[in-house]
Amino acid sequence: MKFFIDTANLAQIKEAQDLGVLDGVTTNPSLMAKEGIKGNDNILKHYVDICNITTGDVSAEVIATDFDGMVKEGELLAELHPRIVVKIPMIKDGVKAIKYFTEKGIKTNCTLVFSAGQALLAAKAGATYVSPFVGRLDDVSTDGMDLISDIRIIYDNYAYETQILAASIRHPLHIIQCAKLGADVATCPLSAITALLNHPLTDKGLAQFLADAKK
Ligand code: G3P
């Protein structure tokens, strides 16, 4: 399974890259705002800065919600760097825009996906990635993992190449569950990735080995 980091924070992206396990980055307008990135030029420059840290795909989201606007913004984003993936919301014009970019050979990430039907549409339009938001489904008492499982079955039934990019990951157990269900990618906060490192028996065992090594 690929690990993406879900942040626009350059220090966190670098930390994950230096760990040697990072396969890409996802951002969204909320994550950009959280880092205080304002103004079109600064936002575009920030995407390039992210591309210069990671060696994987970097999702950059359009703000427009109409087809022409999404195409204009997406083309500008795609020109920034060969590894930019145009992130497009799951709405009617978004599906049309995904199809447009697919035919032009530009990678897309269909975001804000909360149902298997939406994921099926994204795959039919040729999205490179589909982003089901598992944590936000959990927030409304619906098991986000059921959606990952349903999408996996549907995509395997028809050999769709769209990659399941599990998003809105909140904790390490989400990552493990997604891996068991066959998600292609999990995009995670740094804290969820580093939490995978921890086990008290590892700490206890290492302390014992180090103590014994001095004997
Ligand atoms: O990848 C989507 C993500 O940024 C949303 O996460 O925690 O706001 O639901 P969250």
Side-chain angles (χ1 to χ4, degrees):
M1 182 170 68
K2 292 181 202 165
F3 278 12
F4 286 7
I5 188 167
D6 193 31
T7 184
N9 182 289
L10 299 181
Q12 290 187 12
I13 295 167
K14 185 163 186 330
E15 187 176 336
Q17 179 68 29
D18 289 349
L19 190 60
V21 299
L22 192 66
D23 299 298
V25 178
T26 52
T27 63
N28 62 40
S30 304
L31 293 171
M32 295 293 274
K34 195 172 161 193
E35 299 307 317
I37 316 297
K38 290 180 195 156
N40 204 39
D41 288 352
N42 289 334
I43 289 171
L44 297 181
K45 179 185 174 301
H46 201 75
Y47 288 136
V48 175
D49 289 344
I50 293 173
C51 289
N52 287 335
I53 296 174
T54 180
T55 51
D57 283 350
V58 174
S59 287
E61 190 159 340
V62 299
I63 310 299
T65 53
D66 63 293
F67 175 78
D68 290 340
M70 282 189 263
V71 164
K72 193 172 159 200
E73 267 184 54
E75 284 182 336
L76 193 64
L77 290 169
E79 274 172 19
L80 288 175
H81 196 282
R83 281 185 282 101
I84 287 281
V85 175
V86 181
K87 199 171 181 186
I88 296 176
M90 169 38 77
I91 53 176
K92 195 173 185 180
D93 278 24
V95 172
K96 291 184 195 171
I98 289 167
K99 181 76 179 171
Y100 171 88
F101 286 120
T102 301
E103 284 172 354
K104 291 199 86 178
I106 292 172
K107 288 185 181 181
T108 54
N109 174 357
C110 182
T111 190
L112 289 166
V113 166
F114 294 93
S115 77
Q118 291 177 325
L120 181 55
L121 277 177
K124 283 194 68 68
T128 314
Y129 299 102
V130 65
S131 289
F133 277 35
V134 298
R136 291 192 191 182
L137 281 169
D138 290 354
D139 289 344
V140 294
S141 306
T142 304
D143 190 344
M145 291 303 151
D146 287 347
L147 179 57
I148 300 293
S149 174
D150 285 349
I151 300 172
R152 183 74 280 155
I153 290 167
I154 292 168
Y155 283 10
D156 287 350
N157 279 348
Y158 298 98
Y160 286 122
E161 287 178 8
T162 299
Q163 295 181 53
I164 303 173
L165 194 170
S168 186
I169 295 286
R170 303 276 175 76
H171 50 71
L173 192 53
H174 270 158
I175 302 176
I176 302 303
Q177 290 170 320
C178 285
K180 286 168 79 174
L181 292 170
D184 299 285
V185 189
T187 189
C188 320
L190 180 63
S191 59
I193 298 173
T194 55
L196 293 172
L197 288 163
N198 303 329
H199 198 288
L201 290 178
T202 304
D203 299 340
K204 189 181 168 195
L206 182 59
Q208 184 69 56
F209 285 153
L210 295 179
D212 289 344
K214 288 183 190 152
K215 287 178 186 170

